[in-house]
Amino acid sequence: MPHDWLAFAKSLRAIAQTGQTYTDNKYELERYRQLEALTNQMFAVLGDVPIEKIEQLIIPDKGYATPKVDVRGAVFDEAGRVLLVREIKDGRWTLPGGWADVNESPSEGVLKEIFEESGHRASSPRLAMLKDRSLHPYAYYSPDHIYKLFYVCTHEGGAFVPNNETDAADFFARDALPPLSEGRTLTVDIHECWAFAASNAPGIYSD
């Protein structure tokens, strides 16, 4: 059975972060900082990328190490097409979304992300599913442990507004999806949101 070196590196990074938070010994603090630097080197080797890129990817964090939360919104028009946005970074399409913010519920956050990235307004977010990113085949690895929350929302209208993250927004039919930014959204994510929307399930309370 192959070893999951990425999971090992994530665990070591969590130990280093938590250790820096709770130790009051300056020698232990230095060792935890060294461990953190070593885990960055491990991520660079595992991803075959320069360590500088790893350091840019890692979200600065302090305190007890916990997973990050990514919220994504599936908005469907009257024809049943899904709203996608095109990422400037890779030129591919994804469900609008991003990191959950402090002092904001996930459902509030997803509505904000939809508007900021697409220019379209949405309402009535229903939590369709929660995924542990590490257990699914997203295109690139992340040094962070991430939970992905997918919401199905009601379309309230709007039009694309230029912004610094996306350069287009459009609706797509189920059998005509564009090339996806698979580090953010997989085809199966969209299909599962479609199925949830069709079921008229009430969703899971998430505030």
Side-chain angles (χ1 to χ4, degrees):
M1 181 170 155
H3 295 302
D4 189 346
W5 293 106
L6 179 58
F8 295 162
K10 287 181 178 179
S11 294
L12 287 173
R13 179 168 176 261
I15 292 170
Q17 179 181 318
T18 304
Q20 289 180 65
T21 299
Y22 291 108
T23 185
D24 55 4
N25 184 299
K26 65 178 182 180
Y27 300 107
E28 288 184 356
L29 178 61
E30 181 58 29
R31 282 193 287 271
Y32 283 126
R33 287 173 176 166
Q34 291 173 353
L35 180 59
E36 183 177 47
L38 179 60
T39 58
N40 288 348
Q41 293 175 14
M42 292 172 67
F43 287 130
V45 171
L46 290 168
D48 193 23
V49 295
I51 192 169
E52 292 80 11
K53 185 173 182 179
I54 293 297
E55 292 170 344
Q56 292 171 2
L57 280 173
I58 292 175
I59 301 171
D61 197 9
K62 294 182 179 180
Y64 191 89
T66 63
K68 310 298 182 187
V69 178
D70 174 46
V71 294
R72 296 278 155 184
V75 180
F76 300 95
D77 65 6
E78 293 181 353
R81 299 177 303 169
V82 66
L83 176 65
L84 300 178
V85 295
R86 188 169 62 195
E87 289 283 339
I88 292 174
K89 286 185 177 180
D90 61 11
R92 291 174 174 263
W93 298 78
T94 178
L95 292 171
W99 298 120
D101 286 330
V102 173
N103 294 326
E104 185 175 70
S105 72
S107 58
E108 291 173 333
V110 77
L111 296 180
K112 181 191 72 175
E113 290 286 342
I114 291 167
F115 180 72
E116 290 180 350
E117 293 192 351
S118 74
H120 288 261
R121 299 180 304 279
S123 65
S124 306
R126 294 179 290 150
L127 181 60
M129 56 188 171
L130 185 157
K131 290 187 173 183
D132 182 333
R133 187 185 189 279
S134 65
L135 301 180
H136 301 273
Y138 291 93
Y140 61 82
Y141 82 93
S142 171
D144 294 301
H145 193 158
I146 298 169
Y147 291 161
K148 295 177 70 67
L149 278 62
F150 292 88
Y151 287 84
V152 169
C153 309
T154 301
H155 185 227
E156 300 291 352
F160 179 70
V161 177
N163 60 85
N164 61 4
E165 294 185 77
T166 62
D167 60 9
D170 207 346
F171 287 90
F172 295 88
R174 183 173 186 145
D175 59 354
L177 294 177
L180 295 178
S181 180
E182 293 188 335
R184 299 174 176 85
T185 298
L186 300 175
T187 300
V188 67
D189 296 334
I190 298 174
H191 285 179
E192 288 171 343
C193 286
W194 248 307
F196 181 85
S199 73
N200 291 317
I204 302 169
Y205 182 75
S206 63
D207 288 344

